[in-house]
C-alpha cells in the first residue's frame, strides 16, 4: 500500500532508530526502501542487518549523487503509488503512516500531505515543535497571490507518486531546497496540498545536519527557488543560479534577519545539550538573535 523512502548518506549514528520507528508502525502494509547515496561509514552494514530480519526492507546503493537523485530513483523502483518520505536521522511516531494513509483515502483530491513534527536534539530530547498554516484556502488566499513559496516538513510528507513523477519529480540543482521547488511546481500543476495538524514525526536538529550548515548560501538558494517560481508564474524562463546570484542585491536588513534566524536555530540545539559550555554558547546565540530581530524571536 505504501512505499517508504529513506535516502541515506553516512547515517550510522541514528539509522537504527529511524528504521526501527518505521518497522514499528501500527500500519504494517508497506515496503521500506533504503537508498544509500554512496555512504562510506557503516550505513550499508546496518541496512543489511534489517534486510535479513524483515522482508519488507529493500536496499539500493549508488555513488554519491544527491538527495534528489536518490528520491527519484526510490520512486522509480517503488511498488506502490503512495510514497512516504522520511529521513535517516528522524523518528516516526507509531501512528504516522496510518493517520496519513487514512486521510488520503478519505480526501482523494489531496495529492501531497504533510504533518507537524517535534524538534529533537542529538540525544532525542524534544526541544520544540513545527507549525504550518498550509491548506488549500491559505494557499489560494495568501501563498499564491503574494508569491510566497509553500514549505512542508519534508520527512513528514506522504504523496501520490504518479502526480509527482508526471511533473518531473525532484530537481537536484535546487538542493537543499529541492522539496520547496517541488511543492510549488505541484501547486502550479493543480495538485492539492494539505497538512495534518498532528505531530507525527520527531525531526532531529544537530550540528552535522545539512540544514544547520551553509546557512547564508541556503538562504540564497531559497530565494533563487522563489525567483524561479515567480518567473514561471509570469510565463517567463527560469533564471540560472549564477545569473541570479550576480544580480541579487543583498541588503543589510535582509542579512540581519538571516543571521537572527541562524543564531536562533543554533541556540535551540545548543541550549538543550548537557554540556555547560554548549549551553552558554546557545544562550549567547539567543541573545544575538534577539538583538538582531526581536520581532522574530518574540
Amino acid at each position: 500500500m505504501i512505499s517508504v523512502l529513506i535516502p541515506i548518506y553516512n547515517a550510522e549514528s541514528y539509522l537504527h532508530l529511524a528504521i526501527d520507528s518505521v518497522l514499528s508502525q501500527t500500519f504494517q502494509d508497506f515496503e521500506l526502501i533504503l537508498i544509500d547515496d554512496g555512504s562510506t561509514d557503516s550505513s550499508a552494514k546496518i541496512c543489511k542487518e534489517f534486510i535479513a530480519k524483515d522482508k519488507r526492507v529493500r536496499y539500493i546503493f549508488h555513488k554519491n549523487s544527491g538527495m534528489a537523485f536518490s528520491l527519484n530513483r526510490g520512486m522509480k523502483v517503488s511498488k506502490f503509488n503512495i510514497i512516504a518520505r522520511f529521513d535517516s536521522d528522524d523518528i516516526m511516531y507509531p501512528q504516522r503512516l496510518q493517520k496519513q494513509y487514512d486521510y488520503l483515502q478519505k480526501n482523494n483530491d489531496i495529492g501531497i500531505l504533510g504533518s507537524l513534527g517535534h524538534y529533537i536534539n542529538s540525544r532525542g530530547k524534544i526541544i520544540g515543535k513545527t507549525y504550518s498554516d498550509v491548506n488549500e484556502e491559505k494557499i489560494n488566499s495568501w501563498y499564491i497571490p503574494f508569491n510566497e513559496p509553500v514549505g512542508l516538513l519534508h520527512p513528514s510528507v506522504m504523496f501520490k507518486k504518479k502526480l509527482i513523477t508526471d511533473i518531473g519529480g525532484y530537481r537536484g540543482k535546487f538542493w537543499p531546497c529541492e522539496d520547496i521547488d517541488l511543492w510549488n511546481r505541484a501547486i502550479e500543476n493543480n495538485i492539492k496540498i494539505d497538512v495534518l495538524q498532528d505531530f507525527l514525526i520527531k525531526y532531529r536538529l544537530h550540528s552535522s545536519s545539512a540544514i544547520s550548515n551553509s546557512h547564508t548560501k541556503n538562504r540564497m538558494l531559497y530565494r533563487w527557488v522563489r525567483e524561479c517560481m515567480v518567473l514561471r508564474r509570469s510565463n517567463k524562463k527560469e533564471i540560472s543560479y549564477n545569473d541570479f546570484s550576480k544580480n541579487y542585491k543583498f541588503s543589510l536588513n535582509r542579512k540581519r534577519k538571516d543571521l537572527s534566524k541562524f543564531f536562533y536555530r543554533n541556540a535551540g540545539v545548543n541550549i538543550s545539550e548537557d554540556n555547560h559550555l554548549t549551553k552558554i554558547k546557545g544562550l549567547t546565540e539567543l541573545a544575538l538573535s534577539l538583538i538582531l530581530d526581536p520581532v522574530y524571536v518574540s
Side-chain angles (χ1 to χ4, degrees):
M1 293 292 185
I2 299 174
S3 295
V4 182
L5 306 185
I6 301 183
I8 297 165
Y9 180 71
N10 290 347
E12 62 183 6
S13 298
Y14 305 108
L15 188 54
H16 270 108
L17 293 171
I19 296 175
D20 275 333
S21 75
V22 178
L23 299 179
S24 300
Q25 290 291 295
T26 57
F27 186 99
Q28 289 285 297
D29 191 2
F30 63 82
E31 63 171 350
L32 172 58
I33 305 176
L34 307 172
I35 311 137
D36 192 340
D37 190 30
S39 294
T40 57
D41 64 357
S42 63
S43 293
K45 181 181 177 182
I46 294 169
C47 291
K48 290 171 183 177
E49 289 173 1
F50 281 100
I51 291 172
K53 293 188 293 185
D54 196 312
K55 63 181 181 181
R56 295 172 299 176
V57 182
R58 301 167 60 190
Y59 173 73
I60 56 178
F61 178 92
H62 52 245
K63 68 178 182 179
N64 185 246
S65 303
M67 182 180 285
F69 181 89
S70 295
L71 291 175
N72 287 334
R73 187 178 181 195
M75 284 190 282
K76 187 174 181 179
V77 304
S78 62
K79 298 176 182 177
F80 304 116
N81 187 47
I82 301 296
I83 301 292
R85 268 284 292 114
F86 200 50
D87 281 343
S88 58
D89 54 356
D90 297 333
I91 297 172
M92 284 188 190
Y93 284 114
Q95 291 186 313
R96 183 246 165 131
L97 294 182
Q98 186 72 64
K99 286 188 175 182
Q100 288 187 298
Y101 181 80
D102 289 346
Y103 190 87
L104 287 179
Q105 295 305 300
K106 293 176 183 176
N107 300 273
N108 194 49
D109 59 328
I110 302 298
I112 300 171
L113 179 65
S115 82
L116 304 181
H118 286 116
Y119 290 121
I120 58 174
N121 65 8
S122 59
R123 295 176 290 107
K125 178 182 177 181
I126 294 177
I127 58 175
K129 59 186 179 181
T130 68
Y131 162 81
S132 178
D133 63 354
V134 172
N135 55 43
E136 185 179 4
E137 179 183 353
K138 191 73 173 182
I139 288 171
N140 290 326
S141 65
W142 169 258
Y143 285 96
I144 292 176
F146 291 94
N147 283 319
E148 290 294 333
V150 167
L152 303 171
L153 184 59
H154 195 189
S156 81
V157 169
M158 185 177 284
F159 57 75
K160 295 173 181 176
K161 177 175 65 176
K162 189 176 186 308
L163 295 177
I164 298 303
T165 56
D166 282 351
I167 63 171
Y170 291 92
R171 299 197 289 178
K173 67 180 181 180
F174 289 111
W175 189 88
C177 303
E178 76 282 356
D179 56 323
I180 297 174
D181 168 65
L182 178 58
W183 314 144
N184 290 281
R185 283 190 291 117
I187 289 170
E188 292 158 22
N189 284 273
N190 299 313
I191 298 172
K192 292 186 178 181
I193 298 177
D194 204 354
V195 174
L196 270 180
Q197 296 298 307
D198 289 336
F199 294 91
L200 299 183
I201 73 167
K202 293 180 180 179
Y203 182 77
R204 196 179 304 272
L205 297 176
H206 50 92
S207 58
S208 61
S209 61
I211 200 166
S212 299
N213 298 319
S214 305
H215 179 81
T216 300
K217 183 179 179 181
N218 291 349
R219 292 299 299 170
M220 279 293 289
L221 288 166
Y222 170 82
R223 293 184 177 108
W224 175 44
V225 169
R226 184 181 185 275
E227 180 66 16
C228 288
M229 179 193 77
V230 172
L231 289 170
R232 288 194 308 272
R233 294 177 183 180
S234 302
N235 296 315
K236 296 178 182 178
K237 185 180 179 181
E238 293 180 339
I239 189 172
S240 70
Y241 181 72
N242 284 338
D243 287 341
F244 173 75
S245 57
K246 280 190 298 186
N247 297 320
Y248 186 77
K249 294 181 180 179
F250 213 114
S251 68
L252 287 175
N253 186 52
R254 189 164 285 158
K255 181 70 172 177
R256 171 183 64 82
K257 291 183 177 181
D258 283 356
L259 280 174
S260 178
K261 290 180 174 65
F262 172 71
F263 286 131
Y264 185 83
R265 191 179 196 91
N266 283 355
V269 176
N270 291 328
I271 290 171
S272 70
E273 297 295 339
D274 290 331
N275 185 285
H276 290 303
L277 290 177
T278 305
K279 283 182 180 292
I280 292 172
K281 179 183 178 183
L283 290 170
T284 302
E285 289 167 330
L286 182 61
L288 288 170
S289 180
L290 181 63
I291 292 168
L292 288 166
D293 194 347
V295 174
Y296 174 76
V297 174
S298 65

